[in-house]
Amino acid sequence: MFSGMHAARAELAPYEADGDTLHLWHLDESGPPFADEIPGGRPMVGLLNGARAEQEALPGLGKSVSFNANAGGTSGTSDLRGAILISAPSLNNGADDNAPAGFRYFGPDGAFTYEMVVKLDVLPKDSTQIALDLLTMEGDGADRIFNFRMEKEGFLVFVPLPHCGASGGAIATIPTSGPNKPDTEHWFHVAVSYNGNGGAANNLKLYWTRVGGGAVVANHIGSGTLSSDLNGLVGDLAIGNEAREFVGNAEAEPFPGLIDEVRISGVARHPSDFFFIPPEQRRNPAHVQTDAQKVVPPPEFDLELIDVLVDSSSAIPLGAGKPLELSAGLHRLDFDFGFRPESGDAGGSLQTAVDMKLRCQLEGVDDQWQETEVGMGLVFQALDSNNRVVSQSRFPTVGRSEGWKTTLEDSAMTRRVEPVYLPANAKKLKLILNSGSRDTTGFFAIDYIGLQMAGEGNPSLLENGVFTYNAYTTSPAGSPAGWHRGGSDPSIARMILRPDRPGIGLVDGDQQKFGEWTAVQTLLPAIQNTVTYSLVWYEAYNVIGGSTHRATYVNVPPGEYTFRAIGLTGMGGVASDELSLAIKIHPPFWQQVWFLPVVTAACVALFAGAIFSSHRSRSKRSMERLRFQNALEKDRTRIARDMHDDLGSRVTFINMSAALAQRDIERAPENARRHLSKMTESARDLIVAMDGLVWAVDPAHDTLDHLASHLTRLAEEMFRDTSVRCRMDIPSFLPALPLGSDVRHHIALAVKESFHNVLRHAGPCEVFFSMEFDGGRILITIRDTGVGFDPATDERGHGLDNLAERFKEIGGACKISSSPGSGTSIVLSCGVKETPGKK
């Protein structure tokens, strides 16, 4: 997998300062000071708390510095004294800064790129630190400027801090699969760039790229927004940690691994303008003019429909010029739209959030154009008895909340109060904490929400607005009572474990997905309709609104609609091109134009079908009666034939023997006794024949298992006291499958005839009798080891031909094979079906 990596690494070379480089530290020295390659630059002289120089590095890049150490304190708490590299011999506990006044960390137009090469000793999720800092300009007082770091949750983050003069930031998920997935074996290039266009959507870019993986550009993992340029104030500059030291707080965010080749540039570097790209393939950054120089032409807006969510599921791709057709019912529609970038440069879109507004309208629902919103938000909905939204209020959040520090866990919660109204038909309340459009990133949490009558001190009327620590809320994956996760990535919604009480929050670093919390509550008796209430909650957030705007419509009924969007500039009112999408929601089938004719035709067809079915049923019953009567007549005819042919001849023979015995009883007693013996034997045979006949016509025996029992008894009786030894293979279980009496009769006589042939012609031998049933056919085999015969030359009696005729009559087959000295085999088979008239 990495066979070509060594060749690629051998060609790597450290950076050489160019005209856009503000600071460059190779970190190759065996100890401090670490030189800044820029003439008059700022060396890094404070290697503290166990940080170690002269460690391994990528081939060609010299040495690196390890920050996987500490000099005391407890991991995971703010008193940890972790390894750090700063531009002063020691940390400052106070308002002094280790970077001098006028220290440059952005270009003349405000643009910058911060980058370095890192190798992890442990993955972020396994780190015991609060966070994994890369490059920071922090302070102990009013000089907190920025923080560029990795989060334990797997995010790369650039955070503008309270005294930098800007808000916003960028957060992106570090890849979890593919060639850029983080590990502890390889080196990774990490960078953040800002193009100097304050307020422009996506003016911050984050990059995470494995070095040696063959990349031809840096791997862009996410974007964010700075509201304006950084103001130039300086603080405590640090590599590999935060440079804060005061009572209760130390250097608690060390990077658990190696850092090398740290560069600060005064431009937004192009994704190909990094050291791991071959020099001939690099592109120099395009300089953006300073505010004093640039003359901005009127912008040309180009709106784009990015996604349409139908009931929270994406409906894109949409056919060009084709309407969006939806199934019948009430639907929630979310439209995500925004401006395309004007050019393909790394800076992206030049339209600013300050000078631009978007408005939209869903014709057929909206009477007027609506102004759109960006960011995350809390949504309050009133539902009727059918769960349809009858009133909705959305309270967006973007930027930073008052009291925001660095995380949801340590930031102060701010109280917010908004009015909401319950219409007369409201039956339920629904609360939604939503991360907004898919390219919105950041953090948002609430730790209490209540609904109360106007006035101070009134109790909350919500059931699940107070969060407490219990068995269900003690982990980020927990869930408080009444609240449920949703969205395209439900893991964005998580528990926020704060010191005093937990909260529910959104931690979104993925610019392709969104998450949400929802809770539904039936109106309590104390909640009155047609009354205005106060919705009260405590929140903390740092939300970075993307370039995508979202318009949401709930419970849109069947009909035809057109969604339209337009952009307006704040100065001059220049409009963009109009964006439109036709939407058709089909009515329920009973409201379709074809429904009444089809129902009428169906009723006529059903009535005709009922008449036909009734007539067919009567005809079928008549046919079944006829078939039954025909089968009965056949049985009667057969019984009469058997009685005439078999029983009649036997009775005649008995009569003749009786007459002869009477004649010889006096003159030839010996002959009379012989005639009486024959009469006795014939009478016994007559009884057996009568028993077989009774068995054949008895309906109680019309099943396959009774047939098998009868044939078994027949074999035992016929071969008893003979020189033939019979071996039988009859299944121990056969189904009670109904058989017609004619089928049973023919099978029984055929088997009996076969047994007689063995006794007459086979001589002393063994006979093997087996019976099988495969679910559709009966297979009977009678094989003897007797003298056999040649079917081609020997004269055959009528018995063998009768076998074939009997089985042909019942739709079966008879196969006879024999050879002199090898015995004879008779295979009888026939299909089985239900007897007419029997159930």
Side-chain angles (χ1 to χ4, degrees):
M1 177 178 178
F2 302 111
S3 59
M5 184 182 299
H6 298 295
R9 286 181 172 177
E11 301 173 0
L12 296 177
Y15 282 126
E16 294 182 2
D18 58 20
D20 298 311
T21 304
L22 301 179
H23 304 280
L24 174 60
W25 298 281
H26 294 307
L27 304 181
D28 293 335
E29 292 82 358
S30 60
F34 297 93
D36 187 344
E37 296 300 315
I38 302 302
R42 183 73 173 178
M44 305 297 282
V45 300
L47 191 65
L48 308 176
N49 299 341
R52 302 185 305 277
E54 213 171 14
Q55 303 298 305
E56 65 165 314
L58 278 164
L61 296 190
K63 299 296 182 179
S64 67
V65 174
S66 171
F67 294 87
N68 193 9
N70 64 77
T74 304
S75 295
T77 64
S78 59
D79 68 346
L80 179 69
R81 295 190 175 276
I84 190 170
L85 177 59
I86 58 176
S87 60
S90 61
L91 290 161
N92 296 317
N93 185 1
D96 294 336
D97 301 312
N98 64 44
F103 180 83
R104 298 177 61 201
Y105 54 95
F106 53 79
D109 54 6
F112 59 78
T113 300
Y114 305 148
E115 61 177 298
M116 62 190 64
V117 188
V118 302
K119 182 181 180 184
L120 291 157
D121 289 343
V122 296
L123 296 176
K125 66 182 180 64
D126 299 323
S127 174
T128 59
Q129 324 303 358
I130 297 175
L132 294 68
D133 283 0
L134 301 168
L135 181 69
T136 64
M137 186 172 285
E138 281 268 23
D140 304 322
D143 49 9
R144 303 188 66 195
I145 310 304
F146 69 82
N147 195 323
F148 182 37
R149 68 186 188 189
M150 297 168 63
E151 300 279 1
K152 285 173 58 65
E153 291 85 355
F155 302 125
L156 185 64
V157 179
F158 180 82
V159 182
L161 297 175
H163 310 119
C164 70
S167 61
I171 174 175
T173 301
I174 299 171
T176 57
S177 61
N180 295 298
K181 178 181 177 180
D183 57 41
T184 58
E185 298 177 4
H186 304 99
W187 288 81
F188 295 85
H189 177 263
V190 188
V192 58
S193 69
Y194 166 64
N195 64 11
N197 293 290
N202 299 328
N203 55 21
L204 271 173
K205 307 287 185 183
L206 293 172
Y207 301 95
W208 176 276
T209 314
R210 201 194 83 201
V211 179
V216 295
V217 293
N219 180 46
H220 176 220
I221 62 172
S223 301
T225 301
L226 271 186
S227 63
S228 60
D229 298 345
L230 302 178
N231 57 18
L233 293 178
V234 297
D236 293 327
L237 180 68
I239 296 174
N241 209 324
E242 61 169 349
R244 306 186 73 196
E245 184 187 49
F246 55 88
V247 176
N249 193 90
E251 310 81 56
E253 301 177 7
F255 180 81
L258 305 174
I259 295 180
D260 194 13
E261 208 67 15
V262 181
R263 181 170 73 164
I264 297 177
S265 302
V267 292
R269 296 277 182 180
H270 188 271
S272 70
D273 194 24
F274 297 118
F275 79 95
F276 55 90
I277 309 298
E280 65 275 9
Q281 298 182 20
R282 299 179 192 175
R283 287 179 56 185
N284 292 326
H287 292 268
V288 181
Q289 293 175 310
T290 62
D291 293 338
Q293 295 172 328
K294 58 188 175 184
V295 177
V296 180
E300 296 181 359
F301 298 120
D302 192 7
L303 277 176
E304 176 183 24
L305 184 62
I306 299 170
D307 201 359
V308 178
L309 301 178
V310 179
D311 301 324
S312 298
S313 299
S314 178
I316 294 291
L318 302 170
K322 296 181 179 179
L324 174 62
E325 296 196 28
L326 304 178
S327 60
L330 301 175
H331 292 285
R332 168 179 169 172
L333 303 178
D334 294 283
F335 300 91
D336 289 347
F337 58 99
F339 290 101
R340 296 189 187 99
E342 290 184 331
S343 61
D345 64 349
S349 176
L350 299 181
Q351 287 86 35
T352 67
V354 176
D355 297 332
M356 173 196 69
K357 289 185 178 181
L358 290 179
R359 290 190 173 91
C360 64
Q361 181 184 38
L362 184 61
E363 290 184 356
V365 174
D366 289 331
D367 295 329
Q368 300 177 345
W369 290 84
Q370 307 293 326
E371 189 167 323
T372 62
E373 299 168 336
V374 295
M376 302 182 181
L378 177 64
V379 180
F380 176 89
Q381 294 177 341
L383 311 179
D384 64 10
S385 56
N386 295 318
N387 291 322
R388 291 178 295 193
V389 177
V390 293
S391 176
Q392 174 173 296
S393 301
R394 185 176 189 271
F395 308 104
T397 57
V398 69
R400 276 200 308 259
S401 61
E402 184 180 351
W404 176 264
K405 292 183 179 179
T406 55
T407 67
L408 290 173
E409 287 78 10
D410 65 4
S411 298
M413 304 299 287
T414 303
R415 187 173 186 263
R416 184 169 174 179
V417 181
E418 297 286 353
V420 292
Y421 179 77
L422 292 180
N425 54 344
K427 301 297 181 182
K428 297 179 182 178
L429 302 179
K430 185 174 185 178
L431 297 171
I432 306 171
L433 196 67
N434 186 276
S435 65
S437 61
R438 61 183 184 179
D439 67 346
T440 300
T441 55
F443 310 88
F444 182 27
I446 63 174
D447 67 354
Y448 168 82
I449 184 168
L451 182 72
Q452 60 189 50
M453 298 289 291
E456 294 292 333
N458 290 322
S460 172
L461 301 175
L462 291 181
E463 294 179 326
N464 300 307
V466 179
F467 311 115
T468 58
Y469 281 111
N470 54 45
Y472 304 102
T473 61
T474 52
S475 72
S479 180
W483 289 86
H484 306 280
R485 292 177 174 83
S488 59
D489 184 2
S491 66
I492 290 173
R494 61 184 67 183
M495 294 296 301
I496 307 302
L497 307 179
R498 295 177 53 80
D500 48 354
R501 64 187 178 197
I504 57 173
L506 304 167
V507 180
D508 189 354
D510 192 320
Q511 297 193 327
Q512 297 298 320
K513 299 177 181 178
F514 73 96
E516 64 184 17
W517 284 101
T518 60
V520 179
Q521 167 186 329
T522 302
L523 291 186
L524 300 175
I527 302 178
Q528 305 173 25
N529 291 38
T530 66
V531 174
T532 299
Y533 289 85
S534 294
L535 190 65
V536 183
W537 69 94
Y538 287 83
E539 63 184 8
Y541 58 86
N542 183 16
V543 177
I544 304 156
S547 60
T548 302
H549 290 232
R550 170 170 288 188
T552 299
Y553 298 88
V554 293
N555 292 334
V556 180
E560 296 187 6
Y561 308 92
T562 301
F563 176 76
R564 303 185 187 278
I566 191 172
L568 297 172
T569 61
M571 300 297 293
V574 179
S576 73
D577 60 336
E578 183 179 305
L579 171 71
S580 64
L581 173 66
I583 301 161
K584 182 178 181 180
I585 303 178
H586 293 282
F589 67 90
W590 61 85
Q591 295 180 3
Q592 301 277 3
V593 295
W594 50 262
F595 179 74
L596 185 59
V598 168
V599 170
T600 302
C603 291
V604 173
L606 287 173
F607 181 71
I611 295 175
F612 175 77
S613 178
S614 176
H615 176 73
R616 184 178 179 182
S617 297
R618 289 197 299 270
S619 300
K620 186 176 180 180
R621 288 193 295 271
S622 298
M623 290 297 296
E624 287 180 351
R625 284 195 296 271
L626 290 174
R627 282 195 296 268
F628 179 73
Q629 291 173 359
N630 182 51
L632 184 60
E633 289 299 324
K634 288 176 63 179
D635 281 347
R636 289 172 176 172
T637 302
R638 176 179 54 77
I639 294 169
R641 184 182 66 238
D642 290 344
M643 292 183 68
H644 178 271
D645 294 343
D646 190 14
L647 302 184
S649 64
R650 293 179 186 277
V651 171
T652 301
F653 180 80
I654 292 173
N655 287 333
M656 291 177 61
S657 297
L660 292 173
Q662 186 177 7
R663 185 195 65 185
D664 295 335
I665 194 167
E666 292 182 357
R667 66 180 183 179
E670 291 295 327
N671 290 339
R673 282 194 293 271
R674 187 168 58 252
H675 292 314
L676 290 174
S677 177
K678 288 182 179 180
M679 287 176 59
T680 301
E681 183 179 352
S682 296
R684 185 167 51 250
D685 290 343
L686 179 61
I687 292 172
V688 173
M690 284 296 296
D691 182 65
L693 182 61
V694 171
W695 174 84
V697 298
D698 188 352
H701 299 148
D702 283 352
T703 58
L704 180 60
D705 54 340
H706 279 92
L707 174 63
S709 300
H710 177 73
L711 296 180
T712 301
R713 290 194 303 271
L714 182 64
E716 291 174 346
E717 291 174 359
M718 293 188 68
F719 294 115
R720 184 186 300 126
D721 301 328
T722 69
S723 61
V724 176
R725 184 178 181 182
C726 181
R727 298 181 182 274
M728 290 182 283
D729 183 12
I730 308 296
S732 59
F733 173 78
L734 285 171
L737 184 73
L739 297 175
S741 60
D742 57 338
V743 173
R744 292 190 299 111
H745 181 70
H746 283 296
I747 292 176
L749 290 182
V751 172
K752 185 176 181 181
E753 179 69 23
S754 300
F755 289 163
H756 273 297
N757 287 336
V758 173
L759 291 172
R760 290 195 200 102
H761 308 296
C765 65
E766 285 187 322
V767 64
F768 298 90
F769 171 48
S770 66
M771 183 175 183
E772 300 177 31
F773 178 65
D774 62 0
R777 296 187 68 79
I778 299 174
L779 184 67
I780 298 174
T781 302
I782 303 168
R783 180 175 61 85
D784 66 65
T785 60
V787 298
F789 67 95
D790 185 353
T793 60
D794 290 0
E795 293 186 1
R796 298 170 56 174
H798 296 293
L800 295 181
D801 293 334
N802 287 340
L803 292 181
E805 289 298 325
R806 285 186 181 281
F807 267 77
K808 182 178 179 181
E809 187 174 338
I810 60 176
C814 173
K815 181 180 179 181
I816 302 173
S817 60
S818 181
S819 61
S822 299
T824 303
S825 175
I826 301 175
V827 180
L828 308 172
S829 64
C830 69
V832 178
K833 60 183 178 179
E834 187 174 323
T835 305
K838 289 180 178 286
K839 294 295 181 182

